[in-house]
Amino acid sequence: YHTLMAVLSGLNNSAVARMTLTKKMTKSYREVQKDLESTMSMEGGFRNYQQCVRQIIPPCIPYM
């Protein structure tokens, strides 16, 4: 999850978002990105993220 948050942060960086290839992402990739962003959303005190962490079998590197 820590790596997922780092990747999402990188993709949402303004310099990366302006790149031509980033704009050409297919609809399925954008849907996956939106799904992952909703999982790691800070809304509700990371509620969706906490639910995912509770469901997995350890070991896990949590996002701090």
Side-chain angles (χ1 to χ4, degrees), residues 5 7-9 12-13 18 20-22 24 29-30 33 42 44 51-52 57 63:
M5 190 61 150
V7 169
L8 288 175
S9 296
N12 290 327
N13 183 318
R18 289 189 305 250
T20 306
L21 293 176
T22 306
K24 292 183 181 179
Y29 284 122
R30 279 186 258 139
Q33 183 180 0
M42 290 186 263
Q51 289 173 354
C52 287
I57 300 170
Y63 170 70

mmCIF file of all heavy atoms in Angstrom, residues 5 7-9 12-13 18 20-22 24 29-30 33 42 44 51-52 57 63:
data_model
loop_
_atom_site.group_PDB
_atom_site.id
_atom_site.type_symbol
_atom_site.label_atom_id
_atom_site.label_comp_id
_atom_site.label_asym_id
_atom_site.label_seq_id
_atom_site.Cartn_x
_atom_site.Cartn_y
_atom_site.Cartn_z
ATOM 1 N N MET A 5 0.537 4.251 -2.839
ATOM 2 C CA MET A 5 0.368 5.679 -2.568
ATOM 3 C C MET A 5 1.457 6.486 -3.279
ATOM 4 O O MET A 5 1.176 7.559 -3.809
ATOM 5 C CB MET A 5 0.398 5.940 -1.068
ATOM 6 C CG MET A 5 -0.002 7.332 -0.713
ATOM 7 S SD MET A 5 -1.676 7.679 -1.227
ATOM 8 C CE MET A 5 -2.170 8.842 -0.021
ATOM 9 N N VAL A 7 3.003 5.660 -6.118
ATOM 10 C CA VAL A 7 2.700 5.652 -7.550
ATOM 11 C C VAL A 7 1.567 6.622 -7.865
ATOM 12 O O VAL A 7 1.640 7.389 -8.826
ATOM 13 C CB VAL A 7 2.353 4.222 -8.025
ATOM 14 C CG1 VAL A 7 1.783 4.226 -9.428
ATOM 15 C CG2 VAL A 7 3.582 3.330 -7.959
ATOM 16 N N LEU A 8 0.511 6.597 -7.061
ATOM 17 C CA LEU A 8 -0.605 7.520 -7.287
ATOM 18 C C LEU A 8 -0.164 8.974 -7.136
ATOM 19 O O LEU A 8 -0.593 9.837 -7.894
ATOM 20 C CB LEU A 8 -1.754 7.212 -6.325
ATOM 21 C CG LEU A 8 -2.525 5.933 -6.605
ATOM 22 C CD1 LEU A 8 -3.544 5.683 -5.510
ATOM 23 C CD2 LEU A 8 -3.192 5.991 -7.963
ATOM 24 N N SER A 9 0.693 9.239 -6.184
ATOM 25 C CA SER A 9 1.208 10.602 -6.009
ATOM 26 C C SER A 9 2.009 11.032 -7.231
ATOM 27 O O SER A 9 1.909 12.177 -7.683
ATOM 28 C CB SER A 9 2.085 10.688 -4.765
ATOM 29 O OG SER A 9 1.328 10.432 -3.618
ATOM 30 N N ASN A 12 -0.345 11.786 -10.159
ATOM 31 C CA ASN A 12 -1.107 13.008 -9.961
ATOM 32 C C ASN A 12 -0.225 14.256 -9.938
ATOM 33 O O ASN A 12 -0.748 15.364 -9.831
ATOM 34 C CB ASN A 12 -1.925 12.925 -8.671
ATOM 35 C CG ASN A 12 -3.054 11.940 -8.809
ATOM 36 O OD1 ASN A 12 -3.615 11.773 -9.880
ATOM 37 N ND2 ASN A 12 -3.394 11.279 -7.723
ATOM 38 N N ASN A 13 1.079 14.077 -10.053
ATOM 39 C CA ASN A 13 1.996 15.205 -10.123
ATOM 40 C C ASN A 13 1.676 16.023 -11.366
ATOM 41 O O ASN A 13 1.428 15.475 -12.437
ATOM 42 C CB ASN A 13 3.435 14.683 -10.179
ATOM 43 C CG ASN A 13 4.463 15.777 -10.173
ATOM 44 O OD1 ASN A 13 4.321 16.790 -10.838
ATOM 45 N ND2 ASN A 13 5.523 15.546 -9.425
ATOM 46 N N ARG A 18 0.611 16.503 -17.285
ATOM 47 C CA ARG A 18 0.655 17.286 -18.520
ATOM 48 C C ARG A 18 1.293 16.541 -19.682
ATOM 49 O O ARG A 18 1.194 16.977 -20.825
ATOM 50 C CB ARG A 18 1.424 18.586 -18.289
ATOM 51 C CG ARG A 18 0.694 19.583 -17.442
ATOM 52 C CD ARG A 18 1.410 20.921 -17.447
ATOM 53 N NE ARG A 18 2.804 20.797 -17.045
ATOM 54 C CZ ARG A 18 3.310 21.243 -15.903
ATOM 55 N NH1 ARG A 18 2.542 21.854 -15.043
ATOM 56 N NH2 ARG A 18 4.590 21.109 -15.630
ATOM 57 N N THR A 20 2.043 14.100 -22.752
ATOM 58 C CA THR A 20 1.164 13.661 -23.831
ATOM 59 C C THR A 20 0.715 12.214 -23.647
ATOM 60 O O THR A 20 -0.463 11.902 -23.831
ATOM 61 C CB THR A 20 1.896 13.796 -25.184
ATOM 62 O OG1 THR A 20 2.365 15.130 -25.320
ATOM 63 C CG2 THR A 20 0.973 13.465 -26.336
ATOM 64 N N LEU A 21 1.631 11.330 -23.283
ATOM 65 C CA LEU A 21 1.264 9.918 -23.134
ATOM 66 C C LEU A 21 0.328 9.698 -21.951
ATOM 67 O O LEU A 21 -0.504 8.802 -21.982
ATOM 68 C CB LEU A 21 2.524 9.054 -22.979
ATOM 69 C CG LEU A 21 3.411 8.972 -24.212
ATOM 70 C CD1 LEU A 21 4.668 8.160 -23.907
ATOM 71 C CD2 LEU A 21 2.658 8.335 -25.367
ATOM 72 N N THR A 22 0.438 10.512 -20.921
ATOM 73 C CA THR A 22 -0.453 10.399 -19.782
ATOM 74 C C THR A 22 -1.871 10.751 -20.198
ATOM 75 O O THR A 22 -2.834 10.115 -19.779
ATOM 76 C CB THR A 22 -0.003 11.311 -18.636
ATOM 77 O OG1 THR A 22 1.357 11.017 -18.322
ATOM 78 C CG2 THR A 22 -0.847 11.110 -17.407
ATOM 79 N N LYS A 24 -3.143 10.258 -23.058
ATOM 80 C CA LYS A 24 -3.642 9.244 -23.986
ATOM 81 C C LYS A 24 -3.966 7.914 -23.300
ATOM 82 O O LYS A 24 -4.197 6.925 -23.981
ATOM 83 C CB LYS A 24 -2.610 8.999 -25.097
ATOM 84 C CG LYS A 24 -2.442 10.172 -26.028
ATOM 85 C CD LYS A 24 -1.472 9.839 -27.127
ATOM 86 C CE LYS A 24 -1.269 11.017 -28.066
ATOM 87 N NZ LYS A 24 -0.315 10.721 -29.124
ATOM 88 N N TYR A 29 -7.606 2.131 -18.110
ATOM 89 C CA TYR A 29 -6.540 2.531 -17.192
ATOM 90 C C TYR A 29 -6.990 3.669 -16.283
ATOM 91 O O TYR A 29 -6.668 3.707 -15.108
ATOM 92 C CB TYR A 29 -5.275 2.950 -17.955
ATOM 93 C CG TYR A 29 -4.487 1.794 -18.519
ATOM 94 C CD1 TYR A 29 -4.231 1.706 -19.880
ATOM 95 C CD2 TYR A 29 -4.000 0.793 -17.695
ATOM 96 C CE1 TYR A 29 -3.518 0.646 -20.402
ATOM 97 C CE2 TYR A 29 -3.279 -0.274 -18.198
ATOM 98 C CZ TYR A 29 -3.045 -0.345 -19.564
ATOM 99 O OH TYR A 29 -2.336 -1.390 -20.066
ATOM 100 N N ARG A 30 -7.741 4.612 -16.852
ATOM 101 C CA ARG A 30 -8.252 5.714 -16.033
ATOM 102 C C ARG A 30 -9.228 5.208 -14.980
ATOM 103 O O ARG A 30 -9.245 5.701 -13.856
ATOM 104 C CB ARG A 30 -8.910 6.775 -16.914
ATOM 105 C CG ARG A 30 -7.878 7.695 -17.540
ATOM 106 C CD ARG A 30 -8.535 8.819 -18.295
ATOM 107 N NE ARG A 30 -8.447 8.422 -19.705
ATOM 108 C CZ ARG A 30 -9.396 8.578 -20.604
ATOM 109 N NH1 ARG A 30 -10.516 9.147 -20.292
ATOM 110 N NH2 ARG A 30 -9.219 8.179 -21.831
ATOM 111 N N GLN A 33 -7.218 3.652 -12.237
ATOM 112 C CA GLN A 33 -6.599 4.715 -11.439
ATOM 113 C C GLN A 33 -7.618 5.346 -10.501
ATOM 114 O O GLN A 33 -7.334 5.561 -9.327
ATOM 115 C CB GLN A 33 -5.987 5.783 -12.342
ATOM 116 C CG GLN A 33 -5.271 6.873 -11.573
ATOM 117 C CD GLN A 33 -4.660 7.929 -12.477
ATOM 118 O OE1 GLN A 33 -4.759 7.859 -13.705
ATOM 119 N NE2 GLN A 33 -4.031 8.911 -11.883
ATOM 120 N N MET A 42 -8.237 10.060 1.395
ATOM 121 C CA MET A 42 -8.122 10.482 2.790
ATOM 122 C C MET A 42 -9.479 10.747 3.426
ATOM 123 O O MET A 42 -9.555 11.004 4.623
ATOM 124 C CB MET A 42 -7.274 11.753 2.881
ATOM 125 C CG MET A 42 -5.819 11.528 2.587
ATOM 126 S SD MET A 42 -4.859 13.013 2.869
ATOM 127 C CE MET A 42 -4.777 13.655 1.204
ATOM 128 N N GLY A 44 -12.874 10.480 5.281
ATOM 129 C CA GLY A 44 -13.328 9.610 6.368
ATOM 130 C C GLY A 44 -12.187 8.973 7.133
ATOM 131 O O GLY A 44 -12.339 7.872 7.653
ATOM 132 N N GLN A 51 -10.371 -0.509 5.562
ATOM 133 C CA GLN A 51 -11.153 -1.708 5.296
ATOM 134 C C GLN A 51 -10.350 -2.709 4.475
ATOM 135 O O GLN A 51 -10.401 -3.916 4.727
ATOM 136 C CB GLN A 51 -12.454 -1.351 4.576
ATOM 137 C CG GLN A 51 -13.450 -0.633 5.446
ATOM 138 C CD GLN A 51 -14.661 -0.146 4.661
ATOM 139 O OE1 GLN A 51 -14.707 -0.244 3.436
ATOM 140 N NE2 GLN A 51 -15.638 0.387 5.374
ATOM 141 N N CYS A 52 -9.594 -2.226 3.503
ATOM 142 C CA CYS A 52 -8.757 -3.119 2.690
ATOM 143 C C CYS A 52 -7.673 -3.776 3.525
ATOM 144 O O CYS A 52 -7.400 -4.975 3.377
ATOM 145 C CB CYS A 52 -8.119 -2.345 1.539
ATOM 146 S SG CYS A 52 -9.260 -1.908 0.244
ATOM 147 N N ILE A 57 -4.309 -10.761 4.386
ATOM 148 C CA ILE A 57 -3.557 -11.651 5.266
ATOM 149 C C ILE A 57 -2.130 -11.116 5.336
ATOM 150 O O ILE A 57 -1.504 -10.887 4.311
ATOM 151 C CB ILE A 57 -3.556 -13.093 4.702
ATOM 152 C CG1 ILE A 57 -4.992 -13.588 4.608
ATOM 153 C CG2 ILE A 57 -2.708 -14.011 5.559
ATOM 154 C CD1 ILE A 57 -5.153 -14.879 3.857
ATOM 155 N N TYR A 63 0.593 2.047 4.546
ATOM 156 C CA TYR A 63 0.925 3.438 4.255
ATOM 157 C C TYR A 63 0.878 4.197 5.560
ATOM 158 O O TYR A 63 -0.092 4.115 6.293
ATOM 159 C CB TYR A 63 -0.060 4.037 3.244
ATOM 160 C CG TYR A 63 0.099 5.516 3.090
ATOM 161 C CD1 TYR A 63 1.217 6.049 2.480
ATOM 162 C CD2 TYR A 63 -0.858 6.389 3.588
ATOM 163 C CE1 TYR A 63 1.379 7.407 2.347
ATOM 164 C CE2 TYR A 63 -0.702 7.754 3.460
ATOM 165 C CZ TYR A 63 0.414 8.258 2.840
ATOM 166 O OH TYR A 63 0.579 9.595 2.716
#
